[in-house]
Amino acid sequence: MPVAAKPALKKPVDTMSSQGLASKKASKGGKGKTPRGKDMDDMSEMGEVGDEWMQQKTMVKPDDQLELTEQEMKEEFTRILTANNPHAPQNIVRFSFKEKVFKQVASVDQLAIHFTLDGNMLHKDSDEARRQMARGGLAEAPSEPAVAEGEEKAEPAAEGGEGEAKPEGEGGEAEKEEGATQTAPAAKDGSKKLTNQFNFSERASQTFNNPYRERGTQTEPPPRVNFSSTANQWEIYDAYAEDIQRQEKSKEKKGFRGQQESTSRKKISAIESQGDDISRIEKPAKILERMVNQNTYDDIAQDFKYWEDVSDEYREQEGTLLPLWKFSYEKSKRLAVTSICWDPKYRDLLAVGHGSYDFLKQTRGLICLYSLKNPSFPEFIYNTETGVMCLDIHPAYPHLVAVGFYDGSVGVFSLTEKLQEPMYKCTAKGGKHTDPVWEVKWQKDDLDNNMNFFSIGGDGRVVSWTLVKNELLCTDVILLKLDESPADGADGTQLFTLGCGTAFDFHKQTDYLFLVGTEEGKIHKCSKAYSSQFLDTFDAHHMAVHSVRWNTFHPKIFLSCSADWTVKIWEHTSNMPLFTFDLGSSVGDVAWAPYSSTVFAAVTSDGKVHVFDLNVNKYEALCEQVVVTKKKTKLTHIEFNPNYPMIIVGDDRGYVTSLKLSPNLRKIPKEKKGVEAAKGPEVEIAKMDKLLSLVREPPPEKK
Amino acid sequence: MTEAAGEPKKEEAQDFRRLHSYPLIRHSDMNEEMRTEAMELCVTACEKFSTNNETAARMVKESMDKKFGSSWHAVVGEGFGFEITHEVKNLLYMFFGGEKAIIVWKCS
């Protein structure tokens, strides 16, 4: 209160007198110190009292008392107390929906409520009161004095209870209240002792309110565009004239052309409707992507084409592999590469199948087709539910890819269709394998000109699938029976235990001959003609055979590799291997070089690629090189490119690395001077034969 | 001679006025239905208030406001140049009656 605060600055005498007068002044709410005369009058009344007080007390000044001169102290400050509420806003603006503008509210409420108390007194004539009285069984006109006595007892208790509720400073009105409370309960009182609400205890509690939070957001404003033009008479005239001309022309043309117009219009509209702007830039975008890739990997592209390892001239018996592009796709990073295949027609396209070799952790699979021109992203991607274990591209129809899955089914994808699903898929009824399919291979079209392929699965069956219209028909070609004697079945039939086939390869020249490698380590020579018996069996390895491959040129030689760390070269007429190489770690895959009959490469699970040239060194690899960056990466597959001097290697982390072979690894043996180096299969075969003659035991003389 | 030349010219002029009286949309990026509706509205307004451009424009603006939301702007006249910013897909610029040019756009 400014009035009370003010005296502190002024003479201390005034403090005391004004405090005593405060209540009276407050009630007046009147003006302050200006009528000094009145003050003095009041002072004179209390003067004696004031003097006494003065004598007893010394002037007490607070430490931070403002030092003012006499003149300053005499200065009069005018304070006007109004009835306005200082906390009320001075200008409230409300939005008027009627006029759709913001309008200032004319008058602002100045009422400030300092305290409210909701009473619980009822008028004796009100409904509720009557109901209570009826409940209590009270008579309408009770005897007052008797009641009053009883009430007085209740009253102090009631007042004590209500003491907190009673406002302070209303002592003057307390008597009035008492009277009121007396009359009210007096009316309600009756024969019964009062069970009034004063005896009830109220309980209240407040649950925890969630705190509020403000959130605001701004939407994007609608897009705007500038537009400008001039509108004057000649513009209008010109526009109309043009329009009329156009109309006349169209009228002429309508009778003239008719059909031609409509078709050309259709074409135009089709082309227009074909593209959104996005799809029309698809082709240029692709070209651009390839250019960017070429620029990024420019040095790799140069190496691929031109770089030859110079040091090979000094090292006769060694070669190197130069790492080129590394193909990967982000979603394939946790999937192992389970198969790779070069496209026979498009020389830069390679297909990679992804899946998982882990029996326990089976995830989905992925087929990616990469182009050498764009190593950073696959050209085609297909997602499959089960892991892809093998794939093969048809030699004549390069858009068909046969795929074998981990769940035993096979499918054929068509790259021209934009489907994510295989075009053909075998069903459970349709004779799919009950174990993973380890290899698929396309065959020549059969007699009905239907395409077909073979698959070998872990359930021991070699199955031939034919694409007939929309289905895959299966035919069991051969069952891989184990040597044990057949057990007797329940109804007297004989049950055979089937081995598990893991690899096969068809002979390049004689179509019906093929080799099958099994998990038991045996290799069977089979013919498509005989479905129950093998032509021959080789006890090749101690562990599962991972791959068998016929030599590219020589018709009798084949290669096998196994988990028992060895690579063996065989002649299919003899039971003993011609060459055996121990590579120090499980061999994932082998491949013959397409340009030489004596060069082959093998990959092992310690991340190394071994390249052998039997013509140069019969016992050791020409090149043994680690090609993966992270340790503990197993290499799973290897393929030679049929056209370029490079190999691709897949590993179990999902990466496919391409490597260039150094010149030593692709040697064609030098002929004597003057004689032209003859090329061709005959030479290769002859080369091989020469080798073999050194190794082979002389055939026993037969009579 | 001059009179003879003058007369056919006058006739021509009148002819063209007659021929050019249909509503011709010069530029618009509205969608079909909005465009036809707006065009109809402008034609009605111009015919109704053929002498007073201001009232015609007012009628156009208020009807567009009611139908398509605030806030629209309309200019009706015979000779003016303009440079405006309009919300995409909310512009109509047309000629009518051989003399009048009407431009209607939305920009709040």
Side-chain angles (χ1 to χ4, degrees):
Chain A
M1 284 182 50
V3 179
K6 272 267 64 211
L9 294 172
K10 294 210 149 200
K11 294 177 193 167
V13 182
D14 291 341
T15 11
M16 289 165 222
S17 54
S18 56
Q19 271 178 3
L21 303 166
S23 50
K24 285 196 186 159
K25 282 208 175 160
S27 54
K28 283 183 199 168
K31 303 213 170 193
K33 295 287 178 181
T34 7
R36 272 311 212 87
K38 206 172 184 191
D39 231 1
M40 299 303 279
D41 288 338
D42 289 340
M43 270 230 0
S44 56
E45 276 182 347
M46 310 244 303
E48 297 164 358
V49 181
D51 283 343
E52 278 177 17
W53 284 17
M54 283 264 305
Q55 283 161 12
Q56 284 169 9
K57 289 196 177 177
T58 51
M59 201 154 69
V60 176
K61 262 194 192 177
D63 287 345
D64 50 356
Q65 169 97 350
L66 198 59
E67 300 286 331
L68 293 169
T69 59
E70 276 291 300
Q71 207 181 18
E72 278 178 326
M73 300 246 272
K74 282 215 169 111
E75 226 180 301
E76 286 180 18
F77 293 88
T78 315
R79 284 290 173 93
I80 305 172
L81 299 177
T82 57
N84 287 340
N85 180 1
H87 293 297
Q90 278 163 343
N91 49 346
I92 297 182
V93 179
R94 293 250 152 80
F95 184 76
S96 149
F97 283 92
K98 183 176 171 194
E99 290 157 351
K100 294 203 196 306
V101 283
F102 284 95
K103 271 185 129 184
Q104 189 162 357
V105 170
S107 59
V108 181
D109 239 353
Q110 299 293 339
L111 180 69
I113 298 173
H114 293 283
F115 176 82
T116 53
L117 167 72
D118 284 341
N120 52 9
M121 295 194 301
L122 307 164
H123 195 270
K124 64 178 176 185
D125 286 337
S126 68
D127 285 349
E128 178 61 29
R130 280 182 223 247
R131 257 182 260 135
Q132 283 193 6
M133 287 198 299
R135 238 184 284 139
L138 301 167
E140 287 252 344
S143 51
E144 282 198 355
V147 175
E149 273 182 12
E151 270 318 315
E152 275 175 17
K153 282 186 200 166
E155 211 115 35
E159 283 204 16
E162 291 264 78
E164 301 134 29
K166 278 230 173 96
E168 296 158 50
E170 285 189 44
E173 299 178 350
E175 285 170 89
K176 286 190 210 160
E177 263 201 38
E178 269 185 54
T181 48
Q182 259 184 359
T183 50
K188 297 173 203 164
D189 211 16
S191 50
K192 239 185 176 186
K193 192 63 186 169
L194 198 63
T195 51
N196 62 12
Q197 56 259 45
F198 298 117
N199 277 340
F200 291 137
S201 58
E202 279 187 15
R203 290 194 193 282
S205 75
Q206 169 84 23
T207 57
F208 181 70
N209 285 337
N210 287 331
Y212 293 122
R213 188 167 291 181
E214 272 191 28
R215 283 203 192 280
T217 181
Q218 167 96 9
T219 56
E220 251 187 56
R224 295 179 181 190
V225 144
N226 279 1
F227 178 66
S228 62
S229 180
T230 319
N232 43 28
Q233 294 303 298
W234 70 75
E235 276 261 335
I236 298 176
Y237 184 86
D238 285 347
Y240 274 114
E242 208 185 298
D243 198 46
I244 285 179
Q245 266 191 355
R246 214 185 304 144
Q247 280 180 9
E248 282 172 10
K249 268 190 193 171
S250 65
K251 275 184 204 165
E252 282 176 20
K253 278 185 189 174
K254 264 185 191 173
F256 204 61
R257 285 194 198 170
Q259 279 183 359
Q260 276 190 15
E261 271 252 297
S262 59
T263 48
S264 63
R265 233 180 279 142
K266 272 185 205 165
K267 268 190 200 169
I268 296 167
S269 60
I271 293 169
E272 279 179 11
S273 62
Q274 211 184 55
D276 266 275
D277 300 311
I278 294 293
S279 53
R280 263 185 270 157
I281 65 167
E282 184 186 332
K283 196 169 175 207
K286 196 163 185 168
I287 295 174
L288 204 64
E289 189 186 355
R290 286 193 176 180
M291 280 175 65
V292 170
N293 270 300
Q294 198 175 330
N295 286 341
T296 322
Y297 298 111
D298 186 44
D299 42 357
I300 297 180
Q302 299 286 337
D303 285 345
F304 163 72
K305 268 283 182 185
Y306 304 117
W307 190 85
E308 305 291 352
D309 196 347
V310 185
S311 62
D312 271 8
E313 290 175 26
Y314 307 108
R315 296 181 303 185
E316 274 286 321
Q317 308 238 324
E318 282 178 29
T320 53
L321 297 167
L322 177 74
L324 295 174
W325 301 284
K326 194 168 181 181
F327 300 95
S328 73
Y329 177 46
E330 46 165 347
K331 294 205 181 126
S332 70
K333 280 199 180 144
R334 264 169 279 121
L335 298 171
V337 170
T338 52
S339 62
I340 37 182
C341 181
W342 285 101
D343 191 306
K345 190 170 169 198
Y346 296 102
R347 307 195 298 174
D348 63 320
L349 194 62
L350 68 109
V352 181
H354 292 273
S356 170
Y357 282 120
D358 199 340
F359 177 67
L360 296 169
K361 283 190 231 164
Q362 272 305 311
T363 54
R364 54 189 180 82
L366 200 57
I367 302 173
C368 298
L369 283 102
Y370 292 92
S371 163
L372 291 182
K373 297 175 191 164
N374 183 355
S376 48
F377 201 79
E379 301 287 319
F380 299 95
I381 304 167
Y382 295 98
N383 280 302
T384 59
E385 290 153 355
T386 61
V388 171
M389 297 312 290
C390 53
L391 51 77
D392 189 32
I393 304 182
H394 198 288
Y397 305 103
H399 62 93
L400 291 177
V401 181
V403 178
F405 294 102
Y406 193 87
D407 66 354
S409 56
V410 293
V412 177
F413 281 87
S414 170
L415 299 179
T416 49
E417 308 279 330
K418 313 256 179 184
L419 302 167
Q420 271 291 312
E421 288 293 311
M423 228 169 81
Y424 300 91
K425 193 160 182 197
C426 76
T427 57
K429 272 194 298 177
K432 76 174 178 84
H433 293 273
T434 50
D435 267 337
V437 180
W438 291 103
E439 279 236 33
V440 284
K441 254 233 155 42
W442 284 103
Q443 302 299 309
K444 293 206 188 89
D445 284 359
D446 64 5
L447 298 167
D448 300 327
N449 279 346
N450 286 325
M451 296 178 276
N452 66 336
F453 62 94
F454 275 52
S455 70
I456 182 167
D459 56 352
R461 289 161 54 215
V462 177
V463 181
S464 154
W465 302 88
T466 318
L467 271 68
V468 175
K469 287 191 188 173
N470 289 335
E471 283 178 336
L472 282 175
L473 296 180
C474 85
T475 328
D476 269 8
V477 173
I478 198 161
L479 292 169
L480 301 170
K481 292 184 197 120
L482 294 179
D483 264 342
E484 302 151 21
S485 53
D488 281 322
D491 26 337
T493 52
Q494 292 187 318
L495 293 174
F496 297 97
T497 36
L498 293 173
C500 176
T502 51
F504 68 178
D505 195 20
F506 291 85
H507 197 275
K508 308 262 181 297
Q509 282 93 30
T510 41
D511 204 29
Y512 56 82
L513 190 62
F514 64 99
L515 291 166
V516 173
T518 63
E519 206 173 336
E520 296 78 37
K522 295 207 173 72
I523 298 181
H524 302 285
K525 193 166 66 170
C526 317
S527 164
K528 287 189 199 173
Y530 299 103
S531 65
S532 51
Q533 262 196 339
F534 310 124
L535 293 176
D536 205 351
T537 305
F538 304 89
D539 279 322
H541 293 274
H542 304 292
M543 289 177 69
V545 177
H546 281 155
S547 182
V548 279
R549 299 254 186 228
W550 286 104
N551 188 304
T552 343
F553 298 105
H554 202 289
K556 290 190 185 167
I557 305 292
F558 67 91
L559 192 53
S560 72
C561 76
S562 157
D564 70 352
W565 299 7
T566 57
V567 172
K568 295 188 183 176
I569 302 184
W570 310 77
E571 197 185 355
H572 74 85
T573 46
S574 117
N575 265 344
M576 294 301 292
L578 295 168
F579 296 95
T580 308
F581 302 97
D582 190 328
L583 298 182
S585 167
S586 165
V587 187
D589 198 5
V590 273
W592 287 104
Y595 48 80
S596 165
S597 64
T598 52
V599 176
F600 66 92
V603 283
T604 56
S605 56
D606 58 359
K608 283 195 193 163
V609 176
H610 306 255
V611 182
F612 291 80
D613 187 345
L614 297 173
N615 221 13
V616 175
N617 187 335
K618 284 201 286 288
Y619 305 105
E620 276 180 355
L622 288 191
C623 168
E624 228 179 82
Q625 191 172 324
V626 176
V627 296
V628 280
T629 45
K630 280 194 180 162
K631 288 185 191 173
K632 288 196 186 172
T633 318
K634 297 182 203 160
L635 297 177
T636 51
H637 281 277
I638 182 171
E639 284 287 342
F640 277 85
N641 184 313
N643 309 100
Y644 304 115
M646 67 188 260
I647 49 172
I648 39 169
V649 177
D651 62 26
D652 69 345
R653 277 187 202 273
Y655 293 106
V656 174
T657 319
S658 57
L659 303 147
K660 186 166 182 187
L661 299 160
S662 69
N664 266 353
L665 300 172
R666 33 190 170 98
K667 248 195 230 179
I668 301 167
K670 287 184 198 155
E671 295 289 330
K672 289 178 197 162
K673 282 186 193 176
V675 182
E676 265 188 40
K679 290 187 183 172
E682 297 87 25
V683 178
E684 303 290 340
I685 295 171
K687 194 170 51 161
M688 198 61 178
D689 273 334
K690 212 170 42 170
L691 251 180
L692 296 174
S693 61
L694 296 170
V695 184
R696 219 186 278 154
E697 288 170 3
E701 297 270 336
K702 280 188 183 170
K703 286 180 188 170
Chain B
M1 273 280 284
T2 47
E3 275 192 19
E7 273 188 31
K9 270 193 188 166
K10 257 196 196 170
E11 279 176 26
E12 269 180 37
Q14 281 172 4
D15 225 14
F16 281 127
R17 290 284 144 77
R18 236 185 328 110
L19 286 173
H20 296 178
S21 61
Y22 62 92
L24 170 66
I25 294 183
R26 188 81 158 97
H27 177 89
S28 169
D29 65 351
M30 290 179 176
N31 38 354
E32 266 309 311
E33 31 164 309
M34 199 195 234
R35 187 191 309 164
T36 37
E37 225 183 305
M39 198 177 70
E40 296 284 336
L41 174 67
C42 291
V43 169
T44 326
C46 284
E47 283 175 351
K48 193 165 173 193
F49 301 107
S50 48
T51 46
N52 189 341
N53 288 344
E54 187 191 335
T55 33
R58 179 181 301 132
M59 177 180 163
V60 169
K61 180 249 184 334
E62 282 174 356
S63 327
M64 294 299 276
D65 272 351
K66 253 190 281 173
K67 277 188 210 163
F68 302 110
S70 64
S71 60
W72 286 84
H73 312 265
V75 178
V76 176
E78 292 174 21
F80 56 95
F82 56 89
E83 163 99 31
I84 53 146
T85 307
H86 68 94
E87 276 177 33
V88 174
K89 296 213 163 211
N90 287 294
L91 169 76
L92 174 70
Y93 175 36
M94 60 180 280
F95 299 140
F96 177 70
E99 286 172 345
K100 287 245 177 80
I102 307 151
I103 175 164
V104 164
W105 75 96
K106 179 176 183 183
C107 185
S108 54

